[in-house]
Amino acid sequence: MREYRILPDSEMQRQNEYRDKVRDLSNTARDKRGEPLRAYVQTFGCQQNEADSEKIAGMCVSMGYEICHEPAEADLIMVNTCAVREHAEKRALSIIGQYKHLKAVKPDMLIGVCGCMVTQEHRKESIKHSYPYVDFVLGTSSLHRLPELIYTKIQKGKRLYCPEETEYLVAEGLPIHRESSYRAWVSIMYGCNNFCTYCIVPYVRGRERSRRPEDIISEVRELVASGYKDITLLGQNVNSYGKDAKSPDGEVYDFADLLSDIDKIEGDYYIRFMTSHPKDASDKLVDVIASSKHVAHQFHLPMQSGSDKILKDMNRHYDTEKYMRTVEYLRQKIPDVTISSDIIVGFPGETEGDFEATLQMLRRVRFDMTYSFIYSPRKDTPAAAMECQISDEVKGERFNRLLEVQNEIALEKNKPMENKVIRVLCDGPSKNNGDVYSGRSEGNKIVLFDGDESDVGKFVSLKITRAETFALYGEKIY
Ligand code: SAH
Ligand code: SF4
Ligand code: F3S
């Protein structure tokens, strides 16, 4: 028997009782004013937060709210925050600041702030003191307590600051209100144990805890049955899936096991996952992908830096040789695999030589895509206290140089796609150019084409006519 750390049913039951009480209140309010109460959920940060927001929206719906897309229309605003870089925190604080005006004209409106930013004590305090119109704050360990908070706030009227739980557990069975009817997130685990020295995530998301395989598999099975075509499994380090739930004899049902069991579900769909930590991306995992039917030939493998010294200071537990070996094995087993990465520029102590080593690795690996970030010191992380912080000017200059090198590579990687026929899952009109439709390839590349409304949510066959740095252009094949 493996032991998974799941929130007890009794607590979920307790929350369901609050949910029912709030729903009664919402229904009464609806009958009185002749239209339903509305909730607006705003998300900052990563896919994990987007997945959480779909649970927040699901809980709101179960409490009698209708989901709306304009904050001014809402009776309840939930801001789901991120803390990964200063910019994310500043944006959230500025948006929360703007809601003061909405509340001034609509005093009954409830405003709740949740997520990673307010899981930090000092941010909880700043909301308490500087944003008095925020009604309640809840951190990542207590998302499931939203019904209790809303009910208590409505009944008692006092502002509430939900304390973090002593232990972070998996809340199973929360309702999910999904944004898309064909792409879905499925969290397979929560938290992180890695403590990369620059990163706030382990402090605001708690230790790793995995969901039970049967819960994940049945969620994916239901998604496929209801027509979902692109399903992304989420975890801060999916390679550690299951390691927190060993059986007494030390046996682990790991990520590769999970992936191969999910792959047995019949249907026309892709499975993706993120994020994979290079320190424990195993050959077993690559072999499972290579022999699978549904796992997309795409791999996000954040390298962070191409300097072994910086990788060591980042506490990443791999060096560039180990990283390169994984890339080579991936390409050997899955020749058409798309590889992407995250890179941090300007980590403390990064010399010109270290940065050159990163550029060198970009040229060696030749990523299809990279997501690059300027290092942002995070309070109470080891890197924030390191000497030799890099100036904004140097960081900015290196960032631009990195983009230049990567853009050239991305274009070279995309060019051979010209004249090939590929399958793309259509998302609808492009956000940048509404005249064309946009979709994603199996390798997760953006493809623009002359589509129509009937293509949305479907796989479309396209012949690639032109390849650019950030997008491919295609024509429909009938
Ligand atoms: N768990 C994932 C990523 C989590 S955060 C992983 O390990 O890859 C997403 C990305 O944000 C990281 O890969 C990293 O590149 C970047 N990041 C994290 N902390 C940062 C910081 N303090 N400054 C700049 N970028 C950061
Ligand atoms: Fe942050 Fe590292 Fe954990 Fe990723 S693995 S969330 S970068 S501490
Ligand atoms: Fe994600 Fe930001 Fe939290 S990146 S885990 S929402 S700090």
Side-chain angles (χ1 to χ4, degrees), residues 303 305-308 320 351-364:
M303 181 176 82
S305 169
S307 151
D308 288 336
T320 46
T351 61
E352 186 56 27
D354 293 320
F355 177 66
E356 279 294 339
T358 299
L359 296 183
Q360 201 45 43
M361 271 303 273
L362 292 190
R363 294 190 189 102
R364 246 179 106 188

Side-chain angles (χ1 to χ4, degrees), residues 31 65 99 158 178 185 200 202 210 216 218 233 275 281 303 314 337 409 451 471:
D31 295 345
Y65 290 88
Y99 291 155
K158 277 200 318 207
R178 295 188 191 273
W185 312 117
I200 195 73
S210 302
I216 300 168
S218 70
L233 309 178
T275 297
M303 181 176 82
M314 287 178 163
V337 71
I409 296 168

Side-chain angles (χ1 to χ4, degrees), residues 192 194-196 198-199 201-202 236-237 277 304 316:
C192 181
N194 290 312
F195 291 94
C196 303
Y198 51 81
C199 187
V201 172
Q236 294 299 345
N237 174 14
H277 195 306
Q304 312 297 1
R316 290 288 286 179

Side-chain angles (χ1 to χ4, degrees), residues 133-200:
Y133 49 90
V134 169
D135 296 286
F136 60 91
V137 173
L138 78 165
T140 57
S141 67
S142 29
L143 203 60
H144 59 279
R145 292 178 66 183
L146 183 62
E148 179 184 355
L149 262 98
I150 293 188
Y151 184 74
T152 316
K153 168 68 206 172
I154 296 174
Q155 289 301 312
K156 301 214 170 116
K158 277 200 318 207
R159 301 176 76 200
L160 301 167
Y161 308 91
C162 190
E164 290 313 312
E165 308 288 330
T166 44
E167 195 187 4
Y168 282 59
L169 299 170
V170 174
E172 211 45 82
L174 291 177
I176 305 177
H177 180 83
R178 295 188 191 273
E179 286 215 351
S180 161
S181 56
Y182 52 92
R183 287 190 199 273
W185 312 117
V186 174
S187 297
I188 62 164
M189 59 190 297
Y190 303 89
C192 181
N193 288 357
N194 290 312
F195 291 94
C196 303
T197 52
Y198 51 81
C199 187
I200 195 73

Side-chain angles (χ1 to χ4, degrees), residues 340-352:
S340 57
S341 190
D342 291 349
I343 308 285
I344 295 179
V345 172
F347 182 82
E350 184 188 74
T351 61
E352 186 56 27

